[in-house]
Amino acid sequence: MRRRPADHRRSARRRLSTWVWLLLASLSLAGLLLFIHHQQDDPSLLILERDTSTETLSPPRLNFTEEVTSASSFARQLTEQMTLAKAYVFIAKEHNNLHLAWELSSKIRSCQLLLSKAAMRGQPISLDEAKLIVTGLSALIYKAQDVHYDIATTMMTMKSHIQSLEERANSATVQTTVFAQSVAEALPKSLHCLMIKLTSDWLTKPSRHQLADENRNSPRLVDNNLYHFCIFTDNVIAASVVINSTVSNADHPKQLVFHIVTNGVSYKAMQAWFLSNDFKGSSIEISSVEEFSWLNASYSPVVKQLMDTDSRAYYFGDQTSQETNSDPKVRNPKYLSLLNHLRFYIPEIYPQLEKIVFLDDDVVVQKDLTPLFSLDLHGNVNGAVETCLEAFHRYYKYLNFSNPLISSKFDPQACGWAFGMNVFDLIAWRKANVTGRYHYWQEQNIERTLWKRGTLPPGLLAFYGLTEPLDRRWHVLGLGYDMNIDNRLIETAAVIHYNGNMKPWLKLAIGRYKPFWLRYLNSSHPYLQDCVTA
């Protein structure tokens, strides 16, 4: 077969390609025309355009806060009248004018409703809307003034109510303090039960009396080569925890000697408890404060105060019947307890000892305390941890520096320190006659004008210039009132102190600190188990 010429075949292909391109262009043009027509007829676009034009024409919404504060607005006038009307409602009720109070309350509700509507719609209140309410409120306010509810009366009434509320708040504060102290001073039922069981045990087992006499005649009690500690308390469980925690953390517990002084009521129970429990070979001496015949009114100003009728009425009388401006903490009877003041007579109680560590009954010992006896006190009498990291623990917070007797002898910015864990050099004490100093200041404070309460203020005076500051880690305070003590500070402390009303043996103790105390409580003792479950 013969083939066509090459130029003829090329011409046919070119004609076909041209027609294809023309067809595609026609279809594209038709689609564009249809799209334009559809956009012109789309109702949603018309609505959108209409809405946009509407938004452009609508006025801006009202700022109601600015409206209320505007001097020329009806909203501000209504607000001011409503406030005044509320005051007259209160006064009318006080004067038993209940009808006027009801009328004012009704108008106040109408005013509140109008202000709420104006805020919701975002438009200012018009004259027509405000006129009726303004007129009605004005008439009622004039009516209130006609019955002598004027501004002066309003002010005097409000002032008297404020004073009454302040008196009630002060009274509630005093009652709270009194109740807290009552709870802190009260002996829990379980401990009272334990005291009875131990006393009965002492009375029914005469063999223990002989053992107690042997302990009291032990030469260890006056051996200055041993480590001596003194505790003055009537709380058996508290004393037990102090001693148990001390011996448990001592490197050589058999070298420790504890001297406990209690009162006649607790003496038998104290003897029974410590004779029936083992404290790792340490020696324990129990004495009664009634045995100290030399501690009488002719020698001790505190004993004299204790026997004084006015002092007993001040500390032990009905606190609600005394002057309301007197702080109940000042009248706490524990401040006149002889056990509380025995710390100032340690050299007389233990005349043969040279150095001793004093421990309060609300402490827990966590480290070996024997290094305290080798500390150099640089000739001072008292080794104690200072508490003036905060300003309120300086001398001027404890003592009355408006009295020239105080201001002429002491520095108001001097740093305070704490009782609870103190190492005393008894040789230096006797040389400085610290007990004589204490007696002098107690006699000067018979009228309670130099300080108000406690054993710390006279201690600050008696040991002034005779106190050696110890490292803070020896004694951490506040576990009886401060809920925010750093756990790291507690864990590194040699002694932790539950000073305050929230004692660890009470139900109101701070929960996160209580395990440190319970760790050293002999809860397996049958008497204690019986009393807890009774």
Side-chain angles (χ1 to χ4, degrees), residues 52 64 128 130 157 221 281 285 291 337 365 421 428 434 439 454 468 471 531:
T52 304
F64 199 71
D128 292 337
T157 303
L221 302 182
E285 176 195 22
E291 299 172 14
S337 167
V365 177
M421 196 289 300
V434 174
H439 283 174
E468 179 70 16
D471 189 295
C531 290

Side-chain angles (χ1 to χ4, degrees), residues 460-487:
L460 295 176
L461 299 177
F463 291 100
Y464 186 70
L466 299 172
T467 299
E468 179 70 16
L470 303 181
D471 189 295
R472 188 186 180 194
R473 288 171 295 181
W474 278 112
H475 186 193
V476 171
L477 298 102
L479 280 74
Y481 68 90
D482 187 353
M483 300 186 183
N484 300 309
I485 302 175
D486 192 337
N487 277 339

Side-chain angles (χ1 to χ4, degrees), residues 9-33:
R9 290 195 306 270
R10 201 175 295 117
S11 176
R13 289 194 194 97
R14 191 180 296 113
R15 284 196 299 270
L16 180 60
S17 175
T18 302
W19 281 107
V20 169
W21 281 109
L22 287 174
L23 180 60
L24 290 173
S26 300
L27 289 173
S28 299
L29 181 62
L32 177 63
L33 292 174

Side-chain angles (χ1 to χ4, degrees), residues 247-258:
V247 299
S248 297
N249 293 285
D251 293 337
H252 306 285
K254 291 183 179 180
Q255 296 182 13
L256 306 187
V257 181
F258 296 92

